[in-house]
């Protein structure tokens, strides 16, 4: 598979380590979280496999193009609109989380609206770039930061403050019934592959996708989920972890770099994950913008030669995001994120039927073309 494909999956997993996902996992640690991690990892890998196989069969084609060829307008317009809203929410939830983090840890004296607006402006115009340029941007930023991510993870696993007895204590709960909220949160970590609904236009040749690639993805998912859940417990204990709002920020603050320029790792961690959040939002909102462009044909909206269609989408993203940033609390964000993750898990599994239908119709169309 192309390395760009792995970027889509990896960034979604890494960016969500600090979002609502670990909070949900740890909140249900006594209600079947451990067994749910295993179920979520398997189901997440199935989603990655199905979506990759589907889009790999139609190189260079986006989901809107495939739906136009195989379904009716009454079906694909509402469906794509709903997907666009879902992907906008996925991006804005990350944006709100990092705005709260900045206010809490780095910029407590700056108005929250100003922080949110700064983040939105730095992201929103990048969403209108061509898909290949978005991927090139992602690659440059990701490759610069990936070694630091690996360093932090190694630092966490080798830290003397990590108590494996706490982790073993947590593992003993593996026999409990899997928790559905935790399963949905784990599945969300694997939903970076859904970005292929638009990004598949970049992959114009069939990719080599087999057992080796599936094993690699399953390993990455397993490592991410294990690290997300067990490392904070290893640092803070199975009971005390409940009192932490952002368990991974507290975990990074437990680590020191004695001989480095910046001793407290938490500042490096926050800046690093701010970059990962930027990439995650850029990907989600690029998909949302492309879906909205397909539905509303913004390029046709113009007055006296001035295209105002794109201004509408910029204003919508900015105003709606700022409203949510100043309205929601951290507790509400946690609750709504839980509902959102449950909804996405159900919807993107239900979309298997749509993918199967489209695949069958496309094969029928190919057979007719070959007969003619």
């Amino acid at each position: 598979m192309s390395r760009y494909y792995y970027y889509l999956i990896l960034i979604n997993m890494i960016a969500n380590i600090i979002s609502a996902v670990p909070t949900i996992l740890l909140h249900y640690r006594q209600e079947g979280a451990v067994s749910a991690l295993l179920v979520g990892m398997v189901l997440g890998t199935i989603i990655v496999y199905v979506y990759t196989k589907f889009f790999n069969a139609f190189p260079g084609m986006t989901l809107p193009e495939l739906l136009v060829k195989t379904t009716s307008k009454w079906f694909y317009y509402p469906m794509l609109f709903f997907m666009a809203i879902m992907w906008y929410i996925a991006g804005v939830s990350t944006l709100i989380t990092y705005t709260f983090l900045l206010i809490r840890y780095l910029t407590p004296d700056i108005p929250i609206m100003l922080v949110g607006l700064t983040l939105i402006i730095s992201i929103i115009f990048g969403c209108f770039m061509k898909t290949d340029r978005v991927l090139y941007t992602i690659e440059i930023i990701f490759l610069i930061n990936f070694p630091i991510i690996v360093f932090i993870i190694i630092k966490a696993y080798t830290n003397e403050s990590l108590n494996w007895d706490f982790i073993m204590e947590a593992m003993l709960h593996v026999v409990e019934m899997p928790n559905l909220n935790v399963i949905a949160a784990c599945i969300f970590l694997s939903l970076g592959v859904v970005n292929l609904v638009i990004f598949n236009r970049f992959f114009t040749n069939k990719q080599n996708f087999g057992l080796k690639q599936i094993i690699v993805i399953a390993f990455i998912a397993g490592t991410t989920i294990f690290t997300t859940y067990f490392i904070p417990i290893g640092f803070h204990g199975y009971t005390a972890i409940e009192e932490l709002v952002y368990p991974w920020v507290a975990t990074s603050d437990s680590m020191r770099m004695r001989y480095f320029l910046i001793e407290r790792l938490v500042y490096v961690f926050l800046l690093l994950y701010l970059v990962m959040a930027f990439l995650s939002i850029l990907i989600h909102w690029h998909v949302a913008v492309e879906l909205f462009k397909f539905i509303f044909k913004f390029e046709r909206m113009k007055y006296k030669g001035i295209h105002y269609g794109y201004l509408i989408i910029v204003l919508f993203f900015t105003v709606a995001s700022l409203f949510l940033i100043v309205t929601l609390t951290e507790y509400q964000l946690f609750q709504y994120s839980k509902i959102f993750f449950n909804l996405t898990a159900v919807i993107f599994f239900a979309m298997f039927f749509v993918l199967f239908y489209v695949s069958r119709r496309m094969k029928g169309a190919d057979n007719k073309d070959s007969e003619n």
Side-chain angles (χ1 to χ4, degrees):
M1 289 297 288
S2 166
R3 62 186 185 278
Y4 295 100
Y5 165 82
Y6 291 104
Y7 295 154
L8 297 176
I9 294 175
L10 269 172
I11 288 169
N12 192 65
M13 287 184 178
I14 294 170
N16 281 290
I17 282 181
I18 202 170
S19 68
V21 171
T23 310
I24 292 172
L25 303 189
L26 294 166
H27 181 76
Y28 293 103
R29 69 194 182 285
Q30 294 179 324
E31 300 172 39
V34 180
S35 53
L37 298 180
L38 300 173
V39 176
M41 188 187 77
V42 173
L43 294 178
T45 306
I46 290 172
I47 279 193
V48 172
Y49 173 77
V50 171
Y51 277 80
T52 306
K53 289 290 282 186
F54 173 78
F55 284 106
N56 200 25
F58 309 107
M61 296 189 72
T62 63
L63 184 63
E65 291 167 348
L66 290 166
L67 290 176
V68 167
K69 284 178 174 286
T70 55
T71 60
S72 302
K73 287 182 180 178
W74 66 265
F75 177 78
Y76 65 73
Y77 273 124
M79 177 183 165
L80 293 176
F81 179 77
F82 189 66
M83 281 191 69
I85 294 293
M86 293 280 286
W87 243 220
Y88 164 74
I89 294 174
V92 82
S93 66
T94 308
L95 176 75
I96 298 169
T97 301
Y98 282 85
T99 305
F100 287 162
L101 274 172
L102 289 174
I103 291 294
R104 184 184 280 261
Y105 294 101
L106 293 178
T107 57
D109 297 326
I110 299 178
I112 189 169
M113 185 172 281
L114 183 59
V115 175
L117 186 61
T118 306
L119 291 175
I120 293 168
I121 291 173
S122 63
I123 296 166
I124 188 68
F125 294 106
C127 303
F128 290 90
M129 291 191 297
K130 291 182 178 178
T131 300
D132 55 346
R133 292 180 184 176
V134 172
L135 282 172
Y136 297 148
T137 305
I138 288 168
E139 181 175 42
I140 293 169
I141 300 174
F142 183 75
L143 290 181
I144 292 172
N145 290 277
F146 187 68
I148 308 173
I149 295 171
V150 174
F151 169 75
I152 291 175
I153 292 173
I154 293 173
K155 185 81 176 168
Y157 274 101
T158 57
N159 198 289
E160 58 188 18
S161 300
L162 182 70
N163 191 331
W164 283 91
D165 289 338
F166 292 146
I167 295 176
M168 295 301 292
E169 181 187 355
M171 284 183 175
L172 292 177
H173 293 264
V174 70
V175 294
E176 294 169 354
M177 186 68 75
N179 184 283
L180 292 178
N181 292 312
V182 174
I183 292 174
C186 289
I187 290 173
F188 187 77
L189 288 176
S190 302
L191 288 185
V193 71
V194 178
N195 293 304
L196 287 174
V197 296
I198 291 298
F199 281 94
N200 197 50
R201 69 167 52 130
F202 179 82
F203 304 102
T204 53
N205 298 317
K206 270 198 172 184
Q207 305 290 309
N208 182 23
F209 185 72
L211 182 61
K212 189 170 74 175
Q213 286 74 27
I214 296 168
I215 292 172
V216 169
I217 291 167
F219 174 76
I220 293 170
T223 306
T224 306
I225 290 171
F226 183 92
T227 304
T228 305
Y229 180 74
F230 287 106
I231 291 299
I233 290 178
F235 272 88
H236 304 286
Y238 190 68
T239 306
I241 196 72
E242 187 174 4
E243 300 172 4
L244 303 176
V245 179
Y246 296 105
W248 260 97
V249 177
T251 300
S252 65
D253 202 22
S254 303
M255 294 183 269
R256 294 287 187 274
M257 295 185 293
R258 191 177 300 172
Y259 303 110
F260 198 64
L261 187 62
I262 303 172
E263 184 182 353
R264 293 182 68 181
L265 196 63
V266 65
Y267 296 116
V268 179
F269 181 82
L270 286 171
L271 292 174
L272 175 68
Y273 275 89
L274 181 63
V275 174
M276 288 297 114
F278 170 82
L279 295 182
S280 177
I281 300 166
L282 178 64
I283 293 171
H284 284 136
W285 280 8
H286 177 71
V287 172
V289 165
E290 290 297 312
L291 292 176
F292 279 130
K293 280 166 67 177
F294 175 82
I295 297 164
F296 296 108
K297 315 293 183 195
F298 291 124
E299 66 277 5
R300 296 180 188 172
M301 298 181 185
K302 55 184 178 181
Y303 178 74
K304 294 183 178 179
I306 301 173
H307 293 273
Y308 64 87
Y310 296 113
L311 185 61
I312 294 174
I313 196 72
V314 170
L315 285 175
F316 167 72
F317 274 50
T318 305
V319 174
S321 302
L322 285 177
F323 173 77
L324 292 171
I325 286 170
V326 299
T327 305
L328 291 180
T329 63
E330 288 174 326
Y331 177 74
Q332 288 171 329
L333 179 64
F334 168 71
Q335 293 295 337
Y336 291 145
S337 296
K338 197 166 58 177
I339 296 169
F340 179 68
F341 293 157
N342 293 343
L343 196 60
T344 51
V346 173
I347 286 173
F348 289 117
F349 266 108
M351 271 188 64
F352 282 5
F353 295 104
V354 177
L355 301 184
F356 177 73
Y357 176 79
V358 171
S359 181
R360 297 280 296 178
R361 291 293 301 269
M362 287 298 289
K363 281 182 182 174
D366 291 342
N367 290 336
K368 280 185 180 178
D369 290 341
S370 60
E371 288 173 5
N372 293 332

